[in-house]
Amino acid sequence: MHSSTESELPMRHNYTNEDVDYPEDKRAGCVDVENISQEAEDRRRDINRLTRGESLDRTLRRHQITGIAISGTIGTGFFINCGDFIGLSGSVGVILSYLFAGLIVTAVMLCLSEMVSVRPVPGAIFEYPKLYVDPALGFAVGFTYWLAYCMSCATLTVSTAVLTRYWEFPIDIGWVIVIVLIGVASSNIFGVAIYGNIEWVVKWFKLILVLGLDILMISINLGAGPKGEYIGGRYFSSEYRFTPGFSGTHIDDPHQKVDIQGGGGVLLALWTTTTLAQHAFIGVELPVVTAGEAKYPRRDLPKASRRIYLISNLVYVVSALIVAFNVPFTNPNLSPLHGAANDSITGHRSPFVIAIVNAGITHLPGFVNAVFIFAAWTAANTALYVASRTLFSLSKNSDIRYVRETIGRTSSGGTPLVAIGVSFLFAFLAFFGAQQGDVQKPLGVFSRIATTSILCVYGCECLAFLRFRAGMAHVRTIDRNDPKYTKTYYKSPRQPFPAYFGLIACFLLVLFNGWDTFFRISRRTISGSDAAVELLAAYLGPVLFVVFYILYKFVNGTQITGYPQFRNAYTPMETGLDREPPESANKIRRFLSWIK
């Protein structure tokens, strides 16, 4: 069976530019789109038949890709933690935090969008650092990224279960976690086509949710609700725009004395909320992760990548602005940075729920909390999807035959069941988190490990792009300034400044993300055990990243890739997709293809 496959398709994983037929008139749109679509479909079926059990199923269309990304990005992190950020930095401070976090993500995605347009390969997240910087860096990025999403899946599972405490049901949280995990596993094992359709529905549900909450917040601000109180711009007056400084405990009065007073304290509060806000943006890179299952990766992935980070920035900044008009940092229901109570994990902690309750609307908060539960569960689905696809791609590239033939295999339908199973094991950490007396502590540890790990990955993508760009001047086979480049690929603007900004910002956020713990240690206001847990949460991800890199480099003796070796590094690597239909000339049809 294996020899038959090789004789029919001897270069399954080594397609190059020479295999791809893209005449200029096709790029200009002067082709019969239907014929090319049918030829591509026939070719795809042949490839899937010959590589059954060896490759992922390429069925995801652009609306499903954006669905997976939006579902994974918009979770409970924003809806609930946004209130914590208001309490820590003020009404204007929370907006600036999301703006700055969004700028960092935008810089990273500009780099990824261009690289994926040139080389849309499975495992792109770790393939770019591996190819353009160092194989050891690619290994470290891949395993760190996989670990981050495994931790994210556990975090979101606990969050989903704990949110049910809103109604104080007499059900042990462990049983709730079991139900959540069954749902997470089921949505992933039935194939990517079904999963993609589920996430497409979830995408619209979440976008409608955000729009509905924003409209409700505007209405409450203008006096809607039984109390009929007009708020207006009261909480954007000078005393509420920023907190009086940095404080790890709740601030009851705008003039209250805090841990670090004045402008320096305000800046440190902004730095802390910006670091924590990065967790809400985790997932914007997901279109790149789908490169192995996208039906038309070269055509759809660059555009999907750009749309997702723009949507995320718009949703978070606008929604934070609107809700900040209704909830000041002095509201007693907001959770402090340190010492949060157990009850604050539920929907009561959300600024949206706080605003609804303050307006005197009685039954709506419970419904909103139920929506938050659904949002957290679907985000956990996506986290498992990303972790399993990353592990599958890593295993396909492994030097260990057993790993390639077990974790690096798929079912006959193209689903990496073993990779899903291995990644799913980490979700059982949710039971550990739920059994702790203070659920906030394990949740904070899991989410912080995921956030700092992803920041390491983001910084490496920016570094890979800088090498990707610089290498073109050495190989001279591709030129970003050539009009044909911008016609065929996506050219990200203002480079290399976004890449340098993203690299430096990610490095600084990782390096100083534990500053508040060191500050509390110096003031002797934290116990030794709590300090150890907080430092572990702040730096375990980056430390593991460095360990992965050093170990791989030591064992394999890798070197930084020289620019002369980049000669084949800009090959699109079609992996059998030697023809993709061009965009339709009909603007309405193009628009509908993204939203249908």
Side-chain angles (χ1 to χ4, degrees):
M1 186 72 168
H2 181 71
S3 58
S4 165
T5 300
E6 290 196 349
S7 64
E8 292 182 79
L9 190 63
M11 293 182 66
R12 288 190 307 274
H13 308 298
N14 297 293
Y15 286 87
T16 63
N17 248 354
E18 286 72 20
D19 301 310
V20 186
D21 181 19
Y22 276 108
E24 290 299 321
D25 61 337
K26 292 182 182 179
R27 293 192 184 124
C30 304
V31 291
D32 186 339
V33 175
E34 292 185 1
N35 286 342
I36 287 187
S37 298
Q38 187 58 48
E39 289 177 18
E41 198 63 43
D42 292 342
R43 176 61 172 164
R44 192 181 316 280
R45 278 196 292 267
D46 291 340
I47 295 295
N48 288 341
R49 175 177 59 83
L50 294 170
T51 61
R52 187 166 295 155
E54 299 178 22
S55 61
L56 299 170
D57 188 15
R58 285 192 174 275
T59 60
L60 292 178
R61 293 181 177 272
R62 51 178 53 172
H63 63 284
Q64 295 169 315
I65 294 170
T66 56
I68 291 171
I70 289 175
S71 176
T73 305
I74 303 177
T76 55
F78 171 74
F79 295 122
I80 293 180
N81 294 335
C82 179
D84 300 353
F85 303 160
I86 293 174
L88 186 58
S89 60
S91 300
V92 174
V94 68
I95 299 167
L96 292 177
S97 298
Y98 279 109
L99 271 174
F100 188 65
L103 282 175
I104 296 172
V105 167
T106 298
V108 174
M109 290 308 299
L110 285 174
C111 299
L112 276 173
S113 296
E114 181 165 349
M115 288 191 291
V116 79
S117 73
V118 175
R119 194 177 175 90
V121 293
I125 289 292
F126 63 84
E127 184 69 26
Y128 300 145
K130 170 186 173 182
L131 185 64
Y132 300 117
V133 185
D134 184 352
L137 187 65
F139 176 84
V141 165
F143 265 86
T144 302
Y145 190 71
W146 172 68
L147 176 65
Y149 271 94
C150 287
M151 300 304 294
S152 183
C153 183
T155 303
L156 291 162
T157 300
V158 177
S159 298
T160 305
V162 174
L163 281 168
T164 62
R165 287 183 175 179
Y166 183 91
W167 297 284
E168 300 180 352
F169 291 142
I171 302 175
D172 186 80
I173 193 172
W175 288 109
V176 181
I177 289 176
V178 169
I179 296 171
V180 173
L181 290 178
I182 291 173
V184 169
S186 299
S187 64
N188 275 270
I189 64 176
F190 290 122
V192 73
I194 295 175
Y195 174 76
N197 287 328
I198 292 173
E199 295 299 86
W200 170 73
V201 174
V202 171
K203 170 182 72 174
W204 286 110
F205 178 86
K206 289 190 175 182
L207 291 177
I208 292 171
L209 164 66
V210 171
L211 180 62
L213 284 175
D214 287 348
I215 293 173
L216 178 61
M217 291 300 105
I218 293 172
S219 302
I220 289 174
N221 183 266
L222 297 176
K227 291 186 178 179
E229 180 185 3
Y230 174 80
I231 301 174
R234 183 189 313 166
Y235 300 133
F236 272 78
S237 61
S238 58
E239 61 180 2
Y240 288 107
R241 290 173 193 161
F242 298 97
T243 54
F246 175 83
S247 176
T249 57
H250 190 270
I251 301 174
D252 301 310
D253 184 87
H255 307 290
Q256 177 180 321
K257 187 175 181 180
V258 294
D259 296 335
I260 304 177
Q261 291 280 144
V266 171
L267 286 175
L268 288 172
L270 283 173
W271 181 267
T272 303
T273 50
T274 298
T275 305
L276 297 174
Q278 288 292 155
H279 187 263
F281 285 94
I282 292 178
V284 293
E285 77 288 348
L286 294 192
V288 179
V289 177
T290 66
E293 291 170 298
K295 195 161 190 175
Y296 305 121
R298 190 154 85 169
R299 187 191 71 179
D300 293 343
L301 294 186
K303 292 181 179 179
S305 299
R306 300 198 298 278
R307 281 167 171 76
I308 294 305
Y309 72 74
L310 291 174
I311 290 173
S312 299
N313 276 303
L314 183 65
V315 165
Y316 291 152
V317 173
V318 171
S319 298
L321 169 66
I322 293 172
V323 77
F325 270 97
N326 296 327
V327 181
F329 65 79
T330 55
N331 188 290
N333 294 312
L334 295 177
S335 297
L337 181 64
H338 306 300
N342 236 6
D343 290 341
S344 69
I345 306 301
T346 68
H348 296 96
R349 172 180 166 188
S350 168
F352 296 94
V353 172
I354 291 171
I356 293 170
V357 171
N358 289 345
I361 305 173
T362 54
H363 299 295
L364 191 56
F367 171 77
V368 172
N369 189 77
V371 171
F372 291 166
I373 291 173
F374 180 77
W377 171 69
T378 53
N381 291 345
T382 305
L384 179 59
Y385 168 82
V386 177
S388 62
R389 270 47 178 190
T390 303
L391 182 60
F392 171 80
S393 297
L394 282 167
S395 302
K396 291 289 289 184
N397 287 272
S398 175
D399 296 327
I400 304 172
R401 181 178 178 181
Y402 178 77
V403 172
R404 291 197 307 272
E405 295 181 353
T406 52
I407 303 177
R409 298 279 296 182
T410 67
S411 66
S412 58
T415 303
L417 293 177
V418 179
I420 291 173
V422 174
S423 301
F424 185 67
L425 292 175
F426 281 80
F428 288 96
L429 287 171
F431 290 103
F432 167 77
Q435 295 306 316
Q436 301 302 301
D438 181 7
V439 183
Q440 175 71 10
K441 189 170 291 185
L443 270 178
V445 171
F446 292 164
S447 63
R448 204 158 184 180
I449 290 173
T451 301
T452 53
S453 298
I454 291 295
L455 284 172
C456 291
V457 172
Y458 284 172
C460 291
E461 302 303 336
C462 293
L463 176 61
F465 178 83
L466 290 170
R467 297 266 301 167
F468 164 90
R469 180 177 178 273
M472 293 181 182
H474 292 77
V475 300
R476 301 187 181 280
T477 58
I478 189 169
D479 184 1
R480 293 180 79 247
N481 298 316
D482 190 331
K484 292 182 179 179
Y485 185 93
T486 55
K487 191 175 181 180
T488 308
Y489 310 119
Y490 168 68
K491 180 182 177 182
S492 55
R494 304 287 186 269
Q495 293 290 5
F497 301 108
Y500 279 117
F501 171 73
L503 175 61
I504 295 171
C506 288
F507 174 76
L508 292 177
L509 286 177
V510 169
L511 184 62
F512 295 110
N513 89 94
W515 78 268
D516 61 306
T517 304
F518 289 112
F519 173 75
R520 294 166 69 202
I521 291 173
S522 68
R523 298 282 293 270
R524 301 179 185 275
T525 57
I526 185 174
S527 67
S529 59
D530 286 344
V533 170
E534 289 190 13
L535 290 176
L536 181 73
Y539 295 107
L540 179 61
V543 167
L544 287 176
F545 172 79
V546 173
V547 169
F548 289 149
Y549 177 76
I550 293 175
L551 281 178
Y552 191 92
K553 201 168 186 66
F554 176 77
V555 172
N556 295 280
T558 63
Q559 300 292 326
I560 294 178
T561 308
Y563 289 125
Q565 297 173 260
F566 280 22
R567 185 161 300 278
N568 296 320
Y570 303 102
T571 303
M573 293 289 291
E574 293 294 317
T575 60
L577 304 180
D578 51 354
R579 288 195 174 193
E580 292 186 12
E583 289 278 11
S584 170
N586 188 308
K587 293 183 179 180
I588 296 177
R589 187 173 295 175
R590 283 205 307 270
F591 175 73
L592 291 176
S593 70
W594 287 103
I595 68 170
K596 69 177 183 178

